[in-house]
Amino acid sequence: MNCEPIVKQEAMQTTNEPTFQDLRRFSIPSGFRGRNAVLVQLWWICQALLFRPSPQFLYGWRRFLLRAFGARVGKGVLLRPTVVVTYPWKVTLGEYSWIGDDVVLYSLGPIEIGAHAVVSQRSYLCGGDHDPARADFAIRSKPIRIGEQAWVAADVFISPGVTIERGALIGARSTVFTDMPAGMVCFGHPCRPIKRREIA
């Protein structure tokens, strides 16, 4: 059995190769979160202890909690208890919108979901990223907007800065990197408009 102490390698090797990422230089810009660190931690505790364990039918309770932390939540909004919201004060949910099980609203940037819109289970709305051209891995916030009466089906990834226009339908497991037009069925990797959305 080898009992020699484990020697940690240097985080950054000294070579002539370019430095793509030096995470020692990473820092979160002042005001990036939109609230102070204490309130951020308080929300995460509240989400873990009060929001997530709540019974499914307590939609009003979850609306109340989000509003208490600065989210703009319209009447009749239905959020499942497994929804994850990073910063509620950056989230707007229009009247009668539905947010399904295990949806992540990664609200580094503002996320707006319009009235009567649906975001189905396990979808991930990513409101921020990192600058790949900077070695300090600078973090960036970018808004996401889901238009009224749009439907984001199950397990969809929506990238930072994307707008889904009114009434668009995004097919299950699509990856959305660009804006999607109104009233279209869109699908794929990357997502593209396929046909007009038919209404009976």
Side-chain angles (χ1 to χ4, degrees):
M1 180 175 178
N2 187 354
C3 296
E4 293 181 9
I6 297 173
V7 179
K8 293 184 178 179
Q9 293 183 335
E10 285 294 321
M12 300 295 293
Q13 297 181 358
T14 54
T15 68
N16 292 328
E17 296 179 353
T19 300
F20 295 106
Q21 292 169 194
D22 181 354
L23 298 182
R24 295 171 300 184
R25 296 164 54 189
F26 175 78
S27 65
I28 296 177
S30 176
F32 180 84
R33 294 185 177 101
R35 296 289 189 277
N36 65 52
V38 172
L39 192 61
V40 171
Q41 295 300 320
L42 184 60
W43 161 245
W44 289 344
I45 292 168
C46 174
Q47 185 166 226
L49 299 182
L50 300 177
F51 189 102
R52 191 173 185 91
S54 62
Q56 179 175 301
F57 63 87
L58 288 184
Y59 295 107
W61 170 244
R62 292 187 290 276
R63 290 193 295 265
F64 167 78
L65 290 175
L66 284 174
R67 288 172 182 146
F69 281 87
R72 290 167 293 283
V73 181
K75 68 180 180 179
V77 171
L78 300 184
L79 299 108
R80 298 289 194 175
T82 52
V83 171
V84 175
V85 181
T86 305
Y87 304 138
W89 44 88
K90 294 187 179 187
V91 171
T92 300
L93 304 174
E95 294 183 349
Y96 302 104
S97 56
W98 295 357
I99 315 297
D101 284 304
D102 299 310
V103 166
V104 176
L105 302 180
Y106 190 49
S107 50
L108 301 187
I111 294 178
E112 178 183 347
I113 297 172
H116 302 275
V118 174
V119 180
S120 295
Q121 59 270 26
R122 295 185 304 281
S123 290
Y124 193 108
L125 280 61
C126 185
D129 64 4
H130 298 270
D131 188 342
R134 290 182 51 171
D136 64 355
F137 210 53
I139 196 167
R140 307 181 292 193
S141 66
K142 296 181 181 180
I144 290 174
R145 187 177 70 84
I146 310 298
E148 294 183 1
Q149 302 176 47
W151 177 13
V152 176
D155 208 17
V156 169
F157 176 83
I158 298 182
S159 125
V162 162
T163 292
I164 307 296
E165 296 290 356
R166 181 181 185 274
L169 192 168
I170 310 301
R173 297 197 168 180
S174 294
T175 50
V176 188
F177 296 110
T178 58
D179 295 351
M180 293 293 118
M184 295 292 291
V185 175
C186 310
F187 181 77
H189 315 278
C191 190
R192 294 185 178 88
I194 303 298
K195 62 180 182 178
R196 296 298 304 176
R197 183 176 177 182
E198 301 295 335
I199 300 298

